[in-house]
Amino acid sequence: GWKNAINTTIINFNNEKMQITWAARELFPSENVSFSYTFDEGKHKVWKSCPTYLLDQDYNSGCLFETEGPTLAISIRNSNGSEELFSKRLKSDFYIKPNRPENVTFFWKEDTVTVSCNKPERAVKCLRLELQYKSKFDKDWQSRTSKCCSVGEQGFDPRKCYSFRVRLKRLVPYCNVVNYSSDWEAETFWMNGTLLDSCDDDIKSQSNTVIVLSCLLAVLLMILILLILLCKRQRLQKSVMPVIPDPKYIFADVFNDHNGNFQEWIDKTEHAMVQTKLEYEEPECIIEAESQQEDEKNSDKQGPQEKIFSFSRAAENNDPKAAQIACLMPTSNTIASFAGFQVLMNDDMYVML
């Protein structure tokens, strides 16, 4: 009974090649065993020796041979073949491991991705197409399985980069006694229907964008700081070193009318001032009294007395010409009314009342 209890691993690669392995160092530590097989049934079996041995530290640990039919019988014997150490009959179709999917295509529409591949020549009903994907923000793969040979999934964000991989699986237990799947097809990277070399390209592009925006922000900030410093410098310069006025703008007539000839400008200006003085007329002094004649008589009889003068309305309105009235002579005690004030004039002294 122990012959059937030996643990072996049986793989039928896409129903093309068989691989059978055993733990040689544990099961047969003292000798190098031999392997034979047959796909024939009935009494007339033809046993074949292993064409290709798999080795483990120079000990035979497995055999690789062509798949020739659905029913397989194997036998492990001692080194000279005189004693059978292990034998087994099996259905080779229950140990099939499919090949990778061929001609895988991706179809991206809005948030839905559909993946398809070519149909295998045999046992399509026993196969399932598995799609796994993850974005750069996911730690684990998300899985979706469908009938061969097309699978679709929704909910993809077109702004994210996704990694995709697909493989074919055999149905258990209807088609296989062992859950065998094909190797994964080469991993691909997609973003909004565009094939990328890797999702690192998307990260690099985003990082480059962040770097460019940061540089622009830094430049704008430096320009703003320079403008503020420049304004403060101008204010400080004005407060510490006031701007000396340019005589070109103060004496515009000298440069515009006399081409900078200061003496010519002075002569013309003095001539204009003399003409202004000649044209000037003193304002008339209006003397208000109850009777001018009586005042004159009283003044002759009584001697120097106080006189009250009232200037015109122009003087009350602070007209500068009114201040130049010649009638306010300090020859006697006089009281004058000027712009609402009373002025007592006695000899050389004026007193505001």
Side-chain angles (χ1 to χ4, degrees), residues 108-125:
W108 191 307
K109 184 178 180 180
E110 295 179 354
D111 66 338
T112 303
V113 174
T114 303
V115 183
S116 58
C117 66
N118 291 348
K119 287 185 178 181
E121 297 179 358
R122 301 181 278 187
V124 177
K125 293 182 179 180

Side-chain angles (χ1 to χ4, degrees), residues 100-139:
R100 293 178 179 179
E102 298 179 352
N103 296 329
V104 179
T105 59
F106 286 80
F107 179 72
W108 191 307
K109 184 178 180 180
E110 295 179 354
D111 66 338
T112 303
V113 174
T114 303
V115 183
S116 58
C117 66
N118 291 348
K119 287 185 178 181
E121 297 179 358
R122 301 181 278 187
V124 177
K125 293 182 179 180
C126 289
L127 295 176
R128 293 292 182 266
L129 182 63
E130 182 183 7
L131 169 67
Q132 287 191 349
Y133 60 90
K134 67 176 180 179
S135 70
K136 57 186 178 182
F137 303 103
D138 299 327
K139 294 182 179 180

Side-chain angles (χ1 to χ4, degrees), residues 267-295:
D267 295 339
K268 188 173 181 180
T269 304
E270 289 180 351
H271 181 67
M273 292 177 63
V274 170
Q275 288 184 350
T276 304
K277 290 180 179 180
L278 292 176
E279 293 175 358
Y280 174 75
E281 294 181 357
E282 280 192 7
E284 182 179 357
C285 180
I286 302 174
I287 302 174
E288 293 182 359
E290 294 180 357
S291 176
Q292 183 176 1
Q293 295 178 355
E294 291 180 0
D295 291 339

Side-chain angles (χ1 to χ4, degrees), residues 59-211:
Y59 281 86
N60 294 335
S61 62
C63 181
L64 185 65
F65 53 93
E66 299 287 337
T67 304
E68 300 175 4
T71 304
L72 173 66
I74 60 175
S75 175
I76 298 177
R77 295 176 176 270
N78 57 5
S79 57
N80 56 17
S82 60
E83 181 184 359
E84 187 178 69
L85 303 176
F86 173 75
S87 64
K88 186 175 183 180
R89 288 174 55 89
L90 55 98
K91 288 287 185 179
S92 61
D93 291 346
F94 287 169
Y95 296 88
I96 294 177
K97 179 179 180 178
N99 290 337
R100 293 178 179 179
E102 298 179 352
N103 296 329
V104 179
T105 59
F106 286 80
F107 179 72
W108 191 307
K109 184 178 180 180
E110 295 179 354
D111 66 338
T112 303
V113 174
T114 303
V115 183
S116 58
C117 66
N118 291 348
K119 287 185 178 181
E121 297 179 358
R122 301 181 278 187
V124 177
K125 293 182 179 180
C126 289
L127 295 176
R128 293 292 182 266
L129 182 63
E130 182 183 7
L131 169 67
Q132 287 191 349
Y133 60 90
K134 67 176 180 179
S135 70
K136 57 186 178 182
F137 303 103
D138 299 327
K139 294 182 179 180
D140 301 324
W141 290 94
Q142 308 296 321
S143 184
R144 171 76 171 169
T145 304
S146 181
K147 291 182 179 181
C148 187
C149 290
S150 179
V151 58
E153 183 66 9
Q154 297 178 342
F156 291 96
D157 190 345
R159 297 170 297 179
K160 294 181 180 179
C161 178
Y162 291 90
S163 303
F164 292 94
R165 62 183 185 180
V166 292
R167 67 180 178 180
L168 290 172
K169 297 179 65 175
R170 290 275 294 187
L171 286 177
V172 177
Y174 304 104
C175 299
N176 263 32
V177 295
V178 182
N179 188 13
Y180 281 148
S181 301
S182 71
D183 295 333
W184 290 105
E185 181 63 16
E187 187 176 347
T188 56
F189 308 92
W190 294 80
M191 179 178 179
N192 195 19
T194 303
L195 179 64
L196 303 176
D197 293 335
S198 68
C199 285
D200 294 336
D201 297 339
D202 178 46
I203 297 174
K204 289 180 181 178
S205 62
Q206 291 184 357
S207 62
N208 292 336
T209 303
V210 172
I211 292 173

